[in-house]
Amino acid sequence: MSGWTWGQATLRLLILAGPLVALFSTALVGSRPAPWLVALTAALSVAFAAMPESPFGSAAMLLVLAWWGISLDDGLHPEAVLAAGGLLISHVAALVASYGPGDLPVDAGVVRTWLGRALLVFVTAPAAWILAAAVRDQPEPPGIWLAGLVASIAAALVASAAFAVRGQD
């Protein structure tokens, strides 16, 4: 920790805080996490902050997602957008932190690039929440989940092709 640059220390703090913000956002709708769950999420987040390329981040985020699914009967709360933001910030901070060792200064251009990408991804969270709230009481059309899966896969393929990095010949 003492070898971290100021930028790396900031990234590690964001990595640590993201899952905890997402976990505690359920308290805003009346579902406080148990102390053991807070301690486990905090421990996983500390390990994730120390080792951003490790699976501890996935474990912390999956734990938070499981808590959201289990603790709330109706998961359609605007606080879910806050939780999505916390998890996204943690993920992107870990990605940038993993670009080099802790004593390597964080490149401002890399931060700007990933901040722009994160903002584009984050826009989908409130949009998805608004859409879900709008169709909340509507009957579910047959095949809607299959159509959503096909659309998601198609979007991922198009994005992969659009942003493919080509090596020099």
Side-chain angles (χ1 to χ4, degrees):
M1 184 174 191
S2 63
W4 288 344
T5 63
W6 182 87
Q8 282 284 347
T10 302
L11 290 172
R12 307 305 170 114
L13 182 61
L14 292 172
I15 295 167
L16 171 67
L20 294 172
V21 166
L23 181 72
F24 281 115
S25 63
T26 60
L28 298 173
V29 293
S31 185
R32 298 182 59 90
W36 67 267
L37 181 61
V38 173
L40 180 57
T41 305
L44 288 168
S45 296
V46 166
F48 186 31
M51 300 171 283
E53 296 180 45
S54 70
F56 291 117
S58 296
M61 292 184 193
L62 286 173
L63 187 62
V64 169
L65 291 175
W67 171 246
W68 264 89
I70 292 168
S71 69
L72 302 173
D73 291 335
D74 176 19
L76 193 56
H77 298 279
E79 291 79 6
V81 176
L82 174 64
L87 295 179
L88 181 63
I89 286 169
S90 182
H91 171 71
V92 172
L95 189 142
V96 174
S98 69
Y99 273 13
D103 59 352
L104 181 70
V106 178
D107 181 67
V110 170
V111 171
R112 278 192 302 275
T113 297
W114 281 104
L115 184 59
R117 291 174 180 175
L119 287 172
L120 286 174
V121 169
F122 181 72
V123 168
T124 64
W129 183 85
I130 290 168
L131 179 61
V135 300
R136 176 182 222 158
D137 296 326
Q138 301 299 316
E140 187 175 300
I144 191 71
W145 292 107
L146 180 60
L149 176 64
V150 169
S152 298
I153 291 171
L157 290 173
V158 168
S160 295
F163 296 109
V165 178
R166 292 184 171 74
Q168 294 179 347
D169 290 335

